[in-house]
């Protein structure tokens, strides 16, 4: 029997709402520019671009509650509110008509972004990891199983900072619906149980300062409240 040469780290996980159970996290995929208004505010044409993905480490997912540390190496930390899809069954080349059968549940998450580092990376033609994949960059609420809330395909998605409205949209505004995102992603990689997909953000992304209180939510899914430390 083989042994690890060092103690393995604990499996990252998210709480399951209303229970003591937890959802183990394998990988975190994030969809870029999946709302037309956000694509335009970032200077892109939403009508011509297929979905594209970037990733975050599994342990970048932390509870969306209490205080979230302001990360190092940036003076331009941005908020992005997103629907989080939790995959419960793996597959490859999934048909869009079958894609939702692979979903275990849903939550609400923040894709925190070091926008200044992202801008530098874009300018130099370099990867985005330092801008997107830092510690605690993907806070998320407890997950709600499909058996309780179904598959939310429409409903308000919003974010406020210190009581001021920042982001307002609707899940129905997504360029690529959840079923299409899963199908498209599975053409490139085999998705597996434990994968999370952050499905993109509406317009209104903006900077956060130390001490800001962020409240956000998605109708019919969940709400969150965090303070930027």
């Amino acid at each position: 029997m083989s042994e690890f040469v060092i103690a393995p780290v604990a499996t990252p996980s998210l709480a399951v709402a209303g229970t003591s159970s937890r959802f183990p996290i394998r990988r975190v995929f994030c969809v870029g520019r999946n709302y037309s208004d956000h694509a335009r505010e970032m200077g892109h044409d939403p009508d011509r671009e297929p979905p594209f993905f970037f990733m975050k480490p599994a342990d970048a997912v932390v509870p969306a509650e209490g205080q979230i540390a302001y990360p190092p190496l940036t003076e331009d930390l941005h908020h992005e509110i997103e629907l989080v899809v939790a995959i419960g069954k793996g597959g490859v080349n999934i048909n869009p008509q079958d894609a939702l059968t692979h979903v275990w549940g849903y939550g609400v998450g923040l894709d925190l972004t070091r926008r200044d580092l992202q801008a530098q990376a874009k300018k130099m033609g370099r990867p985005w990891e330092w801008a997107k994949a830092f510690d605690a960059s993907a806070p998320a609420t407890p997950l709600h199983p499909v058996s309780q809330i179904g598959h939310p395909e429409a409903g308000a998605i919003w974010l406020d900072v210190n009581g001021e409205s920042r982001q307002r949209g609707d899940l129905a505004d997504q360029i690529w619906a959840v079923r299409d995102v899963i199908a498209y992603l599975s053409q490139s990689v085999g998705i597996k149980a434990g994968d999370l997909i952050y499905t993109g953000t509406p317009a209104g992304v903006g900077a956060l300062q130390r001490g800001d209180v962020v409240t956000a939510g998605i109708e019919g899914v969940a709400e969150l409240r965090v303070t930027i430390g």
Side-chain angles (χ1 to χ4, degrees):
M1 181 177 179
S2 59
E3 296 181 356
F4 293 109
V5 296
I6 59 173
V9 299
T11 300
S13 63
L14 272 176
V16 175
T19 76
S20 60
S21 300
R22 300 192 67 82
F23 182 91
I25 302 171
R26 180 174 177 266
R27 295 179 296 187
V28 181
F29 299 98
C30 302
V31 185
R33 298 194 290 267
N34 196 27
Y35 288 76
S36 297
D37 51 1
H38 175 58
R40 291 188 182 96
E41 79 175 348
M42 300 301 289
H44 297 272
D45 183 349
D47 299 322
R48 293 186 177 182
E49 296 182 354
F52 71 93
F53 300 86
F54 57 92
M55 297 183 70
K56 291 177 181 267
D59 61 4
V61 180
V62 297
E65 60 187 25
Q67 183 168 293
I68 303 295
Y70 195 99
L73 302 181
T74 184
E75 293 300 329
D76 196 20
L77 177 68
H78 278 212
H79 56 75
E80 299 185 14
I81 180 68
E82 312 206 2
L83 176 69
V84 178
V85 179
I87 298 297
K89 181 178 69 174
V92 296
N93 295 320
I94 297 168
N95 189 302
Q97 284 71 36
D98 301 325
L100 294 185
T101 67
H102 292 260
V103 179
W104 184 90
Y106 297 90
V108 178
L110 293 174
D111 168 15
L112 297 178
T113 303
R114 296 192 282 202
R115 194 69 75 196
D116 43 2
L117 298 192
Q118 186 185 38
Q120 293 171 16
K122 288 180 177 180
K123 184 176 180 180
M124 301 177 73
R126 292 178 176 177
W128 291 4
E129 270 79 4
W130 245 222
K132 290 285 192 178
F134 52 92
D135 294 342
S137 61
T141 67
L143 298 173
H144 294 261
V146 168
S147 60
Q148 293 182 2
I149 67 169
H151 296 284
E153 297 182 343
I157 177 172
W158 58 275
L159 181 144
D160 296 345
V161 177
N162 301 326
E164 174 188 350
S165 176
R166 289 280 187 92
Q167 292 186 265
R168 288 293 186 277
D170 194 285
L171 294 180
D173 298 335
Q174 293 179 106
I175 299 171
W176 297 86
V178 169
R179 57 170 48 86
D180 299 316
V181 167
I182 292 172
Y184 194 91
L185 178 61
S186 73
Q187 295 174 17
S188 179
V189 298
I191 64 169
K192 294 189 177 182
D195 290 343
L196 296 181
I197 304 174
Y198 282 57
T199 57
T201 196
V205 300
L208 293 168
Q209 308 299 325
R210 294 167 180 83
D212 280 349
V213 177
V214 178
T215 52
I218 298 175
E219 181 182 357
V221 183
E223 295 185 3
L224 62 83
R225 177 187 175 95
V226 299
T227 300
I228 305 302

